[in-house]
């Protein structure tokens, strides 16, 4: 069995060719798609966070709304860029959203990727200390976030408070028990995957990673997952970790599918640079008839290693079409691979 969810970047554009033409459309349709995915039997609704872009940005109002409208499906991010986050304020927002959802949040966080503006986190009031990088700052924010999620008191109470306090040092409220174990780190390298394991975070691995060996993408990603699990075991954590991978997978069921994805599909890995002097490898897309997809996906080593698969969806094609995309995988591909 494998958990299967969707991952939406929440793109919107005021184009006549888009079904998602405004920020309002992107948010409301994200809620509608999560509801539809739950009805179809999917396991997760995940959202990417980008700042200064016509995409989803502030995750917690959306996560809370999805939590209020659904009852079973996991609700998450993949990922929140920690360079932009005040970890204490984030812990309050996350605790509130998780309580509204009944403990279903699965929060993916990360150092982040190149953004729309130069050093966008500076506009949010953050800057790395002298001698450190923005990546160092993101990891520090993550460490503080993880610590306050433990729910231990750390703040000295006012001796003359407006309202009575419980005894001892005070913690942030609202606190959601168990959320600390549902934090994931989006890792682009083996080293950051191992770092995440030591801190007790689950692992999210996307459709790209830094090219660290020259092998096919899915092989490198599988190696990353194995390195993560080895580091987790060495750290001595009591619970079992979770691992997700993301893929663009489209079953060609009808003429719409063939029109959108049946031609010119990226059927092999790509090499590029998402940062200066950093070579990255981008995984292939999968688009074919269900029987062919089953054969192709059975050879993907990283999917085999992961317990959770996130299907990236083309959200600008509308809720109904994306529900169709998810349903086709759940009904016509997943059972043949033993995922259902």
């Amino acid at each position: 069995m494998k958990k299967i969810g969707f991952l939406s970047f929440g793109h919107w554009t005021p184009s006549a060719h888009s079904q998602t033409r405004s920020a309002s459309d992107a948010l409301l349709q994200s809620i509608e798609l999560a509801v539809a995915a739950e009805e179809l039997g999917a396991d997760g609704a995940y959202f990417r966070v980008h700042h200064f872009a016509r995409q989803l940005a502030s995750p917690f109002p959306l996560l809370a709304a999805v939590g209020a409208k659904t009852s079973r499906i996991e609700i998450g991010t993949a990922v929140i860029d920690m360079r932009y986050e005040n970890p204490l304020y984030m812990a309050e927002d996350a605790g509130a959203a998780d309580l509204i959802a009944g403990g279903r949040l699965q929060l993916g966080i990360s150092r982040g990727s190149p953004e729309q503006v130069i050093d966008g986190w500076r506009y949010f009031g953050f800057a790395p200390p002298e001698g450190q990088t923005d990546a160092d700052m993101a990891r520090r924010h993550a460490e503080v976030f993880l610590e306050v999620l433990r729910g231990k008191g750390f703040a000295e109470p006012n001796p003359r408070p407006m309202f009575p306090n419980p005894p001892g040092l005070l913690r942030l409220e609202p606190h959601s028990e168990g959320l600390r174990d549902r934090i994931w780190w989006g890792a682009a390298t083996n080293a950051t995957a191992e770092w995440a394991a030591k801190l007790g975070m689950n692992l999210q691995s996307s459709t790209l990673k830094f090219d660290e060996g020259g092998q096919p993408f899915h092989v490198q990603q599988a190696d990353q997952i194995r390195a993560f699990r080895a580091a987790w075991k060495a750290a001595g954590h009591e619970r079992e970790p979770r691992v997700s991978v993301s893929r663009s997978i489209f079953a060609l069921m009808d003429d719409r599918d063939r029109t959108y994805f049946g031609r010119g599909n990226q059927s092999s890995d790509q090499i590029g640079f998402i940062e200066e002097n950093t070579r990255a490898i981008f995984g292939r897309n999968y688009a074919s008839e269900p029987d062919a997809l089953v054969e192709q996906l059975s050879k993907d080593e990283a999917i085999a290693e992961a317990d959770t698969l996130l299907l990236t969806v083309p959200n600008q094609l509308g809720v109904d079409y994306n529900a169709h995309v998810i349903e086709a995988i759940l009904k016509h591909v997943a059972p043949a691979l033993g995922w259902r």
Side-chain angles (χ1 to χ4, degrees):
M1 296 293 289
K2 196 180 296 290
K3 289 184 179 293
I4 301 175
F6 73 83
L7 171 60
S8 174
F9 280 48
H11 293 282
W12 61 272
T13 178
S15 164
H17 301 290
S18 174
Q19 300 294 316
T20 312
R21 300 180 185 178
S22 68
S24 176
D25 287 344
L27 288 163
L28 295 175
Q29 289 177 20
S30 293
I31 298 168
E32 292 173 21
L33 184 58
V35 171
E38 180 173 80
E39 292 173 351
L40 291 169
D43 302 297
Y46 287 73
F47 305 97
R48 183 67 165 93
V49 179
H50 278 290
H51 301 289
F52 300 103
R54 290 177 172 179
Q55 298 178 42
L56 298 172
S58 52
F60 292 106
L62 174 60
L63 296 174
V66 172
K69 287 282 190 178
T70 59
S71 61
R72 180 192 57 80
I73 198 169
E74 293 182 342
I75 308 161
T77 52
V79 289
I80 297 172
D81 187 334
M82 292 303 291
R83 295 174 297 181
Y84 288 77
E85 295 297 326
N86 177 322
L88 273 68
Y89 194 88
M90 181 179 172
E92 291 183 341
D93 278 353
D98 195 42
L99 290 171
I100 290 170
R104 289 181 285 132
L105 252 58
Q106 302 284 342
L107 289 182
I109 64 176
S110 181
R111 163 263 173 103
S113 59
E115 295 288 303
Q116 297 297 105
V117 299
I118 298 171
D119 296 346
W121 28 268
R122 294 186 182 276
Y123 296 98
F124 280 56
F126 300 111
E130 186 174 352
Q132 295 189 10
T133 66
D134 61 311
D136 296 327
M137 178 177 68
R139 286 189 281 270
R140 177 56 184 157
H141 286 180
E143 289 168 350
V144 174
F145 178 61
L146 293 172
E147 184 59 33
V148 297
L149 284 182
R150 296 185 186 279
K152 296 180 180 179
F154 61 90
E156 190 72 32
N158 188 336
R160 292 181 295 277
M162 182 176 296
F163 306 104
N165 283 323
L169 299 177
L170 300 184
R171 69 183 185 185
L172 290 176
E173 300 289 356
H175 172 69
S176 186
E177 193 68 35
L179 180 57
R180 170 62 178 80
D181 290 341
R182 288 178 272 116
I183 307 302
W184 308 56
W185 184 261
T189 67
N190 289 10
T192 51
E194 292 169 350
W195 171 81
K198 292 174 184 176
L199 268 65
M201 287 187 281
N202 302 309
L203 175 66
Q204 287 182 337
S205 198
S206 184
T207 53
L208 68 88
K209 69 180 297 293
F210 293 169
D211 187 4
E212 299 182 274
Q215 301 121 315
F217 169 77
H218 73 101
V219 175
Q220 292 197 47
Q221 193 175 50
D223 287 343
Q224 181 192 51
I225 294 169
R226 287 188 282 267
F228 166 80
R229 288 210 170 101
W232 183 280
K233 183 177 180 180
H237 301 302
E238 293 183 1
R239 67 179 178 88
E240 286 296 313
R242 289 184 60 185
V243 175
S244 73
V245 296
S246 304
R247 291 290 185 273
S248 297
I249 305 173
F250 302 98
L252 304 183
M253 306 296 299
D254 57 30
D255 289 342
R256 290 178 304 168
D257 302 326
R258 295 182 186 92
T259 298
Y260 289 137
F261 304 107
R263 304 185 190 89
N265 182 52
Q266 180 197 317
S267 58
S268 60
D269 297 342
Q270 303 291 314
I271 298 295
F273 291 83
I274 60 170
E275 294 180 346
E276 187 177 0
N277 301 321
T278 304
R279 177 183 165 104
I281 183 167
F282 300 78
R284 58 165 295 183
N285 295 338
Y286 293 94
S288 193
E289 283 70 22
D291 289 347
L293 278 182
V294 169
E295 181 179 356
Q296 293 164 12
L297 293 168
S298 68
K299 300 174 183 176
D300 191 310
E301 293 184 19
I303 293 180
E305 289 282 347
D307 60 79
T308 301
L309 172 64
L310 301 183
L311 306 170
T312 61
V313 294
N315 74 281
Q316 289 188 87
L317 294 180
V319 173
D320 289 345
Y321 182 73
N322 280 288
H324 158 77
V325 167
I326 295 167
E327 183 178 30
I329 300 302
L330 292 176
K331 288 188 174 182
H332 301 286
V333 177
L337 286 162
W339 300 345
R340 279 290 186 270

